[in-house]
Amino acid sequence: MSSSKNETENPAVDGSELIRFDKVTKRYGSNVVLDQLDFSVNSGKHITLIGPSGSGKTTILRALMTLVKPEEGTIKVSGQYLFHEEKDGKLVDAGESHIREVRKNIGMVFQQFNLFPNMKVLRNITEAPVHVLGLDKDEADERARELLELVGLTEHLDKYPSQLSGGQQQRVAIARALAMRPQILLLDEVTSALDPELVAGVLDLLRDIARSTDITMLCVTHEMGFARDISDDVLMFNEGKVIESGAPEKIFSEPEHERTREFLSAVL
Amino acid sequence: MMTSKFFFEWFLPGIWITIQVLVYSAVLAGVVSFVIGTLRTSRFWIVRFLAGTYFEIFRGMSALIMMFWMAFVVPLMLGWQFVPMFSGVLALGLTYGAYGSEIVRGALAAVPPAQREAGIALSFTRMQRLRRIELPQAWPEMVPPFNNLLIELMKGTALVSVITVADMTFAGNLVRLSKNESMPIYTLLLVLYFVLAFILTRGMRMLERKAKAGVGRAPEGRTILTRKLSPKGELDQARAGTAGAGGAG
C-alpha cells in the first residue's frame, strides 16, 4: 500500500489480490463480448477501464455485480468464487445465497442513477443496510446522514429522487452504494447521463472518495482527465480483451498499442 | 312502490348485503390478483405455468355459472353446501382475481429492469426486491385499472341474487313479484348501483393520488374535500401571509 492512503483501517486492504477473472467468456448470441479474459485487481487499487464502446468494459462491471453471467471461466472476489461453489473438490454453479454473500462486498453506481423512486432520499440509502445487513434503524439513519453530508446533500434527505437534479441523484446513488461499506465500488459511466455543468461536482466527489478511503474502485469512464487523476492502473479494452495496461501516465502519454493510440486520439 | 316494513326488512338489509358481498369478494379478488399476478413473474417455469393456467381458466369461466356450480353442484358432490353468500363471494373473487392478476403482472412488467438491477447491486433477495422495490413502484400503475375492475365487480355482485343471497337486487325482484311493479324499483336499483360506483371511483381517485405521491409524482394532501384552492383563495392566503409578516416586522 502506498503510504499516502493513511486512513487505512480495513485489514483487508493489504494490496493482495481482490478480484481475479480467469478465462472469462461472455457471449450475446454470436457476439463475443468478453473473450477468455484474464485480469486481476489488487485491493485498494483504483482501476479505470477504457476502450471503444462494445469492447466489454461495462460487461465486466455487470459480471462482477452478477447482473450478467459469463458462459465460461471463473471470477473470484476476496478469494471466493462469485458464480461457483466448491463441492467435493469440484466447481459447481453457486446457489442464490452464496452469490448474495459474495456480492455484499461489491457496490455499484449506475449510469442512470437507478435510485428507487418510491423512497425518499434517506430511505434510498438506509433500505439495504437495514434489510440486507441487519443494521438497526437509528444506526443506518446516522450512517446515511454522514454520507449525505459527504456528498453535500444533507438538506435534501426528505425529498423524492424525482425532485432532485441528475447530479444530485447521482450523489445519492454514490452515498447509497457506500452505505453498504463495500470493499469494491463499481462505477459504470457515472457521469455520462449528466448535464455537462454537473459532471465536475460528481467527479470531485469521487476523487475525494478515492483519496480518503481504501475502497477498491473499478471505473468505466470517458472522462480521461478523471481517469488520469484517480487511477493506479488503466486497462485498455478491445474486442473483449485487455490489449494494454499500465499506469495512467504511461497509457495516456506513450501507449504501445496501435489501437490504444487510435482510441486516445479520438477521445482526448 | 314498497311498504316501509318491506323497505326496512328487505331493502335496507339488501343494500348492506350488497356492500358485504362487494367487500368480501373485492378482498378475495385482491389477494388472488397479487398472488397469481406475482407468481406469473416467477423465474420458475412451472410456477408461471400453473399461475397462468389459473388465469386462463378463471378468466374464461362465467362467474354466474360458477356460482350455480358452487351452490347446486357442490352439495350433490360433497353432501354439504356452502352458505349462499360464500358461494357468491368465492365465484366473484376467483374470477375477478384472475382479471386482476393480469393488472398486477402487467404493472410489474412495466417497472424498469434497471430497478431490479439496482436491487441486486444492493444484495436484496428476490422477495425483498418484490416487496420493497417492484410492487411499490408498480402500485400507482395498478390503481386506475383496479378501479375499473372494482366497479365491474360491484355490478357483478347482483349475480348473487340468483343463488338466493338477499342483496338489494334480490329485494328488488321481490318487489316486482309481490307488487307487479317494475319501473320504480329497477330505476331505483340502477341509481343505487351508480351511486356505489361513483363513491368507489372517488375513493380510488384518492388512492391513486396517494399512490402517485408515494413515488414523488404528484402533490400530496389533496383530497376530495380540499381539492382545489381557487387562485383567488391562494392569493388571499399569500396576501394574508405577507401582511402578517409585515405586521410583525
Side-chain angles (χ1 to χ4, degrees), chain A residues 117-119 160, chain B residues 135-144 203-222:
Chain A
N118 56 314
M119 303 176 194
Y160 282 104
Chain B
L135 278 174
Q137 288 179 35
W139 172 239
E141 305 305 317
M142 296 180 205
V143 178
M204 291 298 271
R205 284 270 165 77
M206 270 190 332
L207 202 60
E208 188 184 340
R209 267 197 289 275
K210 221 175 142 239
K212 285 199 170 144
V215 292
R217 271 166 49 190
E220 222 168 336
R222 281 171 55 179

Side-chain angles (χ1 to χ4, degrees), chain B residues 4-240:
Chain B
S4 68
K5 183 165 181 296
F6 182 88
F7 181 81
F8 285 111
E9 281 181 9
W10 289 97
F11 204 77
L12 267 190
I15 296 175
W16 176 230
I17 295 281
T18 292
I19 292 171
Q20 276 179 293
V21 171
L22 171 64
V23 170
Y24 297 151
S25 46
V27 168
L28 178 60
V31 171
V32 171
S33 299
F34 276 95
V35 171
I36 298 296
T38 308
L39 291 181
R40 287 178 66 202
T41 65
S42 167
R43 69 188 153 129
F44 301 110
W45 73 267
I46 183 73
V47 176
R48 284 199 308 273
F49 174 77
L50 290 175
T53 306
Y54 174 92
F55 165 68
E56 286 298 346
I57 289 176
F58 278 82
R59 183 176 63 165
M61 288 209 293
S62 155
L64 179 62
I65 308 299
M66 203 188 313
M67 261 179 231
F68 284 152
W69 202 86
M70 285 177 188
F72 306 127
V73 180
V74 167
L76 295 178
M77 280 171 38
L78 302 178
W80 48 265
Q81 59 182 351
F82 295 130
V83 181
M85 194 201 274
F86 186 77
S87 299
V89 166
L90 210 55
L92 288 170
L94 294 180
T95 39
Y96 283 84
Y99 292 120
S101 78
E102 183 66 1
I103 295 173
V104 173
R105 190 197 61 78
L108 280 176
V111 175
Q115 288 292 314
R116 189 183 66 89
E117 295 182 350
I120 292 175
L122 291 166
S123 284
F124 287 110
T125 62
R126 276 166 199 280
M127 275 309 288
Q128 286 175 326
R129 291 202 305 266
L130 193 64
R131 194 169 94 91
R132 303 186 177 281
I133 302 167
E134 290 163 33
L135 278 174
Q137 288 179 35
W139 172 239
E141 305 305 317
M142 296 180 205
V143 178
F146 266 140
N147 181 21
N148 261 331
L149 193 64
L150 184 62
I151 287 167
E152 285 294 327
L153 173 63
M154 188 274 296
K155 294 184 293 188
T157 59
L159 294 176
V160 299
S161 63
V162 300
I163 55 166
T164 73
V165 179
D167 74 333
M168 63 190 194
T169 300
F170 188 85
N173 285 335
L174 285 186
V175 172
R176 177 176 59 86
L177 290 173
S178 59
K179 302 270 172 177
N180 226 358
E181 275 182 354
S182 304
M183 211 275 272
I185 188 64
Y186 286 131
T187 308
L188 176 63
L189 279 177
L190 279 179
V191 170
L192 276 173
Y193 279 107
F194 171 77
V195 168
L196 280 181
F198 186 77
I199 294 171
L200 289 176
T201 299
R202 300 315 303 181
M204 291 298 271
R205 284 270 165 77
M206 270 190 332
L207 202 60
E208 188 184 340
R209 267 197 289 275
K210 221 175 142 239
K212 285 199 170 144
V215 292
R217 271 166 49 190
E220 222 168 336
R222 281 171 55 179
T223 70
I224 188 171
L225 296 174
T226 61
R227 200 136 44 100
K228 229 177 257 172
L229 213 61
S230 70
K232 185 171 175 302
E234 281 174 62
L235 211 64
D236 287 349
Q237 272 206 334
R239 223 177 263 141

Side-chain angles (χ1 to χ4, degrees), chain A residues 1-34:
Chain A
M1 276 312 299
S2 66
S3 57
S4 66
K5 288 175 184 135
N6 50 11
E7 290 185 51
T8 303
E9 282 167 20
N10 189 341
V13 180
D14 51 11
S16 66
E17 185 175 283
L18 186 60
I19 302 169
R20 165 161 287 282
F21 277 56
D22 197 6
K23 298 206 169 32
V24 173
T25 298
K26 174 70 199 168
R27 299 184 195 90
Y28 291 108
S30 61
N31 182 18
V32 181
V33 189
L34 301 181

Side-chain angles (χ1 to χ4, degrees), chain A residues 84-182:
Chain A
H84 303 85
E85 279 173 295
E86 278 170 300
K87 277 202 181 122
D88 311 326
K90 273 198 289 188
L91 274 191
V92 294
D93 279 359
E96 177 81 11
S97 62
H98 171 85
I99 292 177
R100 210 167 43 242
E101 215 41 55
V102 182
R103 191 166 58 197
K104 277 183 193 167
N105 296 321
I106 309 172
M108 184 160 181
V109 182
F110 297 87
Q111 184 176 357
Q112 298 289 347
F113 335 132
N114 300 359
L115 293 179
F116 303 128
N118 56 314
M119 303 176 194
K120 290 182 175 172
V121 165
L122 189 71
R123 223 185 113 207
N124 256 285
I125 301 172
T126 59
E127 192 75 355
V130 170
H131 296 287
V132 175
L133 301 182
L135 254 60
D136 75 60
K137 182 88 180 56
D138 294 337
E139 200 182 342
D141 268 7
E142 196 182 324
R143 192 188 278 194
R145 279 168 205 277
E146 282 168 17
L147 285 166
L148 280 172
E149 202 173 308
L150 172 73
V151 303
L153 290 173
T154 309
E155 69 272 31
H156 298 292
L157 60 87
D158 203 28
K159 287 187 179 163
Y160 282 104
S162 56
Q163 296 166 299
L164 301 180
S165 73
Q168 290 169 330
Q169 290 190 51
Q170 194 60 295
R171 288 151 183 264
V172 175
I174 292 167
R176 182 176 71 173
L178 292 177
M180 294 294 280
R181 303 247 164 107

